[in-house]
Coordinates of all heavy atoms in Angstrom, one line a residue:
I1 N -1.0 -7.7 -8.1 CA -0.5 -8.8 -7.4 C 0.7 -9.4 -8.1 O 1.8 -9.7 -7.5 CB -1.5 -9.9 -7.1 CG1 -2.6 -9.4 -6.1 CG2 -0.9 -11.2 -6.6 CD1 -3.8 -10.4 -6.0
N2 N 0.6 -9.5 -9.4 CA 1.7 -10.2 -10.2 C 2.8 -9.4 -10.8 O 3.8 -9.9 -11.2 CB 1.0 -11.1 -11.3 CG 0.1 -12.1 -10.7 OD1 0.4 -12.8 -9.8 ND2 -1.1 -12.2 -11.3
V3 N 2.6 -8.1 -10.8 CA 3.6 -7.2 -11.4 C 4.0 -6.1 -10.5 O 5.1 -6.1 -9.9 CB 3.1 -6.6 -12.8 CG1 4.1 -5.7 -13.4 CG2 2.7 -7.7 -13.7
D4 N 3.1 -5.1 -10.3 CA 3.5 -3.9 -9.6 C 3.9 -4.1 -8.2 O 4.9 -3.6 -7.7 CB 2.3 -2.8 -9.6 CG 2.1 -2.3 -11.0 OD1 2.3 -3.1 -12.0 OD2 1.7 -1.1 -11.1
R5 N 3.2 -4.9 -7.5 CA 3.4 -5.2 -6.0 C 4.8 -5.9 -5.9 O 5.5 -5.7 -4.9 CB 2.3 -6.1 -5.5 CG 2.4 -6.4 -4.0 CD 1.3 -7.4 -3.6 NE 1.4 -7.7 -2.2 CZ 2.4 -8.5 -1.7 NH1 3.3 -9.1 -2.5 NH2 2.4 -8.7 -0.5
K6 N 5.1 -6.7 -6.9 CA 6.4 -7.5 -6.8 C 7.6 -6.6 -6.9 O 8.7 -7.0 -6.6 CB 6.4 -8.6 -7.9 CG 5.5 -9.7 -7.5 CD 5.6 -10.9 -8.5 CE 4.7 -12.0 -8.1 NZ 4.8 -13.2 -9.0
S7 N 7.4 -5.4 -7.4 CA 8.6 -4.5 -7.6 C 8.9 -3.7 -6.3 O 9.9 -3.0 -6.3 CB 8.3 -3.5 -8.7 OG 7.2 -2.6 -8.4
L8 N 8.1 -3.9 -5.3 CA 8.3 -3.2 -4.0 C 9.4 -3.9 -3.2 O 9.5 -5.1 -3.2 CB 7.0 -3.1 -3.2 CG 5.8 -2.4 -3.8 CD1 4.6 -2.6 -2.9 CD2 6.2 -0.9 -3.9
V9 N 10.1 -3.1 -2.4 CA 11.1 -3.7 -1.5 C 10.4 -4.6 -0.5 O 11.0 -5.6 -0.1 CB 11.9 -2.5 -0.8 CG1 12.8 -3.1 0.3 CG2 12.6 -1.7 -1.8
T10 N 9.2 -4.3 -0.2 CA 8.4 -5.0 0.8 C 7.6 -6.1 0.2 O 6.6 -6.6 0.8 CB 7.5 -4.1 1.6 OG1 6.7 -3.3 0.7 CG2 8.4 -3.1 2.5
A11 N 7.9 -6.5 -1.0 CA 7.1 -7.5 -1.8 C 6.9 -8.8 -1.1 O 6.0 -9.6 -1.3 CB 7.6 -7.7 -3.2
S12 N 7.8 -9.1 -0.2 CA 7.7 -10.4 0.6 C 6.6 -10.4 1.7 O 6.3 -11.4 2.3 CB 9.0 -10.8 1.2 OG 9.4 -9.8 2.2
S13 N 6.0 -9.2 1.9 CA 4.9 -9.1 2.8 C 3.7 -10.0 2.5 O 3.4 -10.2 1.3 CB 4.4 -7.6 2.9 OG 3.2 -7.5 3.6
E14 N 3.1 -10.5 3.5 CA 1.9 -11.4 3.3 C 0.7 -10.6 3.0 O -0.4 -11.1 2.5 CB 1.7 -12.3 4.5 CG 1.3 -11.5 5.7 CD 1.1 -12.4 7.0 OE1 0.4 -13.4 6.9 OE2 1.6 -12.0 8.0
Y15 N 0.7 -9.2 3.2 CA -0.5 -8.4 3.0 C -0.6 -7.9 1.5 O 0.3 -7.8 0.8 CB -0.4 -7.1 3.9 CG -0.4 -7.5 5.3 CD1 0.7 -7.7 6.1 CD2 -1.7 -7.7 5.9 CE1 0.6 -8.1 7.4 CE2 -1.8 -8.1 7.3 CZ -0.6 -8.3 8.0 OH -0.7 -8.7 9.3
L16 N -1.9 -7.7 1.2 CA -2.2 -7.3 -0.2 C -1.6 -5.9 -0.5 O -1.1 -5.7 -1.6 CB -3.7 -7.2 -0.4 CG -4.2 -6.7 -1.7 CD1 -3.8 -7.5 -2.9 CD2 -5.8 -6.6 -1.7
Y17 N -1.6 -5.0 0.4 CA -1.1 -3.7 0.2 C 0.1 -3.3 1.1 O 0.0 -2.6 2.0 CB -2.2 -2.7 0.4 CG -3.3 -2.7 -0.6 CD1 -4.6 -3.1 -0.2 CD2 -3.1 -2.4 -1.9 CE1 -5.6 -3.2 -1.1 CE2 -4.1 -2.5 -2.9 CZ -5.3 -2.9 -2.5 OH -6.4 -3.0 -3.4
P18 N 1.3 -3.8 0.8 CA 2.5 -3.3 1.4 C 2.8 -1.9 0.8 O 2.3 -1.6 -0.2 CB 3.6 -4.3 1.1 CG 3.2 -4.9 -0.2 CD 1.7 -4.9 -0.2
T19 N 3.6 -1.1 1.6 CA 4.0 0.2 1.0 C 5.5 0.1 0.7 O 6.1 -1.0 0.9 CB 3.7 1.3 2.0 OG1 4.6 1.1 3.1 CG2 2.3 1.3 2.5
Y20 N 6.0 1.2 0.3 CA 7.5 1.2 0.0 C 8.3 0.9 1.2 O 9.4 0.4 1.1 CB 7.9 2.5 -0.6 CG 7.3 2.8 -2.0 CD1 6.4 3.8 -2.2 CD2 7.6 2.0 -3.1 CE1 5.8 4.0 -3.5 CE2 7.1 2.2 -4.3 CZ 6.2 3.2 -4.5 OH 5.7 3.4 -5.8
K21 N 7.7 1.2 2.4 CA 8.5 1.1 3.6 C 8.0 0.2 4.7 O 8.7 -0.2 5.6 CB 8.6 2.5 4.3 CG 9.3 3.6 3.5 CD 9.3 4.9 4.2 CE 9.9 6.0 3.3 NZ 9.9 7.3 3.9
T22 N 6.7 -0.2 4.6 CA 6.1 -1.0 5.6 C 5.4 -2.3 5.0 O 5.1 -2.3 3.8 CB 5.0 -0.2 6.4 OG1 4.0 0.1 5.5 CG2 5.6 1.0 7.0
E23 N 5.2 -3.3 5.9 CA 4.6 -4.5 5.5 C 3.1 -4.4 5.0 O 2.7 -5.2 4.3 CB 4.6 -5.5 6.7 CG 6.0 -5.9 7.1 CD 6.6 -6.9 6.0 OE1 6.0 -7.9 5.7 OE2 7.7 -6.5 5.5
K24 N 2.4 -3.4 5.6 CA 1.1 -3.1 5.1 C 0.7 -1.7 5.2 O 1.3 -0.9 6.1 CB 0.1 -4.0 5.9 CG 0.0 -3.6 7.4 CD -1.0 -4.5 8.1 CE -1.1 -4.2 9.6 NZ -2.1 -4.9 10.3
I25 N -0.2 -1.3 4.4 CA -0.7 0.1 4.4 C -1.5 0.4 5.6 O -2.1 -0.5 6.2 CB -1.5 0.4 3.1 CG1 -1.7 1.8 2.8 CG2 -2.8 -0.4 3.1 CD1 -2.2 2.1 1.4
S26 N -1.6 1.6 6.0 CA -2.3 2.0 7.2 C -3.7 2.5 6.8 O -3.9 2.9 5.7 CB -1.6 3.1 8.0 OG -1.7 4.3 7.3
P27 N -4.7 2.4 7.8 CA -6.0 2.9 7.5 C -6.0 4.4 7.1 O -6.8 4.9 6.3 CB -6.8 2.7 8.8 CG -6.1 1.5 9.4 CD -4.7 1.7 9.1
E28 N -5.1 5.1 7.7 CA -5.0 6.6 7.5 C -4.5 6.8 6.0 O -5.0 7.7 5.4 CB -4.0 7.2 8.5 CG -4.5 7.3 9.9 CD -4.4 5.9 10.6 OE1 -3.5 5.0 10.2 OE2 -5.1 5.7 11.6
Q29 N -3.6 6.0 5.6 CA -3.1 6.1 4.2 C -4.2 5.8 3.2 O -4.3 6.4 2.1 CB -1.9 5.2 4.0 CG -1.3 5.3 2.5 CD -0.8 6.7 2.2 OE1 -0.2 7.4 3.0 NE2 -1.1 7.2 1.0
I30 N -5.0 4.8 3.5 CA -6.2 4.5 2.7 C -7.1 5.7 2.5 O -7.5 6.1 1.4 CB -7.0 3.3 3.3 CG1 -6.1 2.0 3.3 CG2 -8.3 3.1 2.5 CD1 -6.2 1.0 2.3
N31 N -7.4 6.3 3.7 CA -8.2 7.5 3.6 C -7.6 8.6 2.8 O -8.3 9.3 2.0 CB -8.6 7.9 5.0 CG -10.1 8.4 5.1 OD1 -10.9 7.9 4.3 ND2 -10.3 9.4 5.9
R32 N -6.3 8.9 3.0 CA -5.6 9.9 2.3 C -5.7 9.6 0.8 O -5.9 10.5 0.0 CB -4.2 10.0 2.7 CG -4.0 10.8 4.0 CD -2.5 11.2 4.3 NE -1.7 10.0 4.4 CZ -1.4 9.4 5.6 NH1 -1.9 9.8 6.7 NH2 -0.5 8.4 5.6
T33 N -5.5 8.4 0.4 CA -5.6 8.0 -1.0 C -7.0 8.3 -1.6 O -7.0 8.9 -2.7 CB -5.3 6.4 -1.1 OG1 -4.0 6.2 -0.6 CG2 -5.4 6.0 -2.5
V34 N -8.0 8.0 -0.9 CA -9.4 8.2 -1.4 C -9.6 9.7 -1.5 O -10.1 10.2 -2.5 CB -10.4 7.6 -0.5 CG1 -11.8 8.0 -0.8 CG2 -10.3 6.0 -0.5
R35 N -9.2 10.4 -0.4 CA -9.5 11.9 -0.4 C -8.7 12.6 -1.6 O -9.2 13.4 -2.2 CB -9.0 12.5 0.9 CG -10.0 12.0 2.1 CD -9.4 12.4 3.4 NE -9.5 13.8 3.6 CZ -9.6 14.4 4.8 NH1 -9.7 13.6 5.9 NH2 -9.7 15.7 4.9
K36 N -7.5 12.2 -1.8 CA -6.6 12.8 -2.8 C -7.2 12.4 -4.2 O -7.2 13.3 -5.1 CB -5.2 12.3 -2.7 CG -4.2 12.9 -3.7 CD -4.0 14.4 -3.4 CE -3.0 15.0 -4.3 NZ -3.0 16.4 -4.2
A37 N -7.6 11.2 -4.4 CA -8.2 10.8 -5.7 C -9.5 11.7 -6.0 O -9.7 12.1 -7.1 CB -8.6 9.4 -5.7
A38 N -10.3 11.9 -4.9 CA -11.5 12.7 -5.1 C -11.1 14.2 -5.5 O -11.8 14.8 -6.3 CB -12.4 12.7 -3.8
E39 N -10.1 14.7 -4.8 CA -9.6 16.0 -5.1 C -9.1 16.1 -6.6 O -9.5 17.0 -7.3 CB -8.4 16.4 -4.2 CG -8.7 17.0 -3.0 CD -7.4 17.3 -2.2 OE1 -6.4 17.7 -2.8 OE2 -7.5 17.1 -0.9

């Protein structure tokens, strides 16, 4: 919240998880993240 998120272009988003391009992460991206970490 206080460091990494603030470095994003979308840091002004009200959402906890903005991405580099969007105001908030998608459910599909969450699942890809979990699947990739397990891999």
Side-chain angles (χ1 to χ4, degrees):
I1 291 172
N2 298 313
V3 180
D4 293 33
R5 187 185 175 286
K6 287 184 176 182
S7 69
L8 298 173
V9 174
T10 54
S12 62
S13 168
E14 65 183 314
Y15 293 96
L16 176 60
Y17 292 114
T19 68
Y20 293 115
K21 298 179 183 177
T22 62
E23 292 291 306
K24 65 179 178 176
I25 197 168
S26 70
E28 294 77 20
Q29 181 62 41
I30 298 264
N31 217 34
R32 282 193 299 270
T33 297
V34 171
R35 291 169 74 152
K36 185 67 175 168
E39 269 179 41

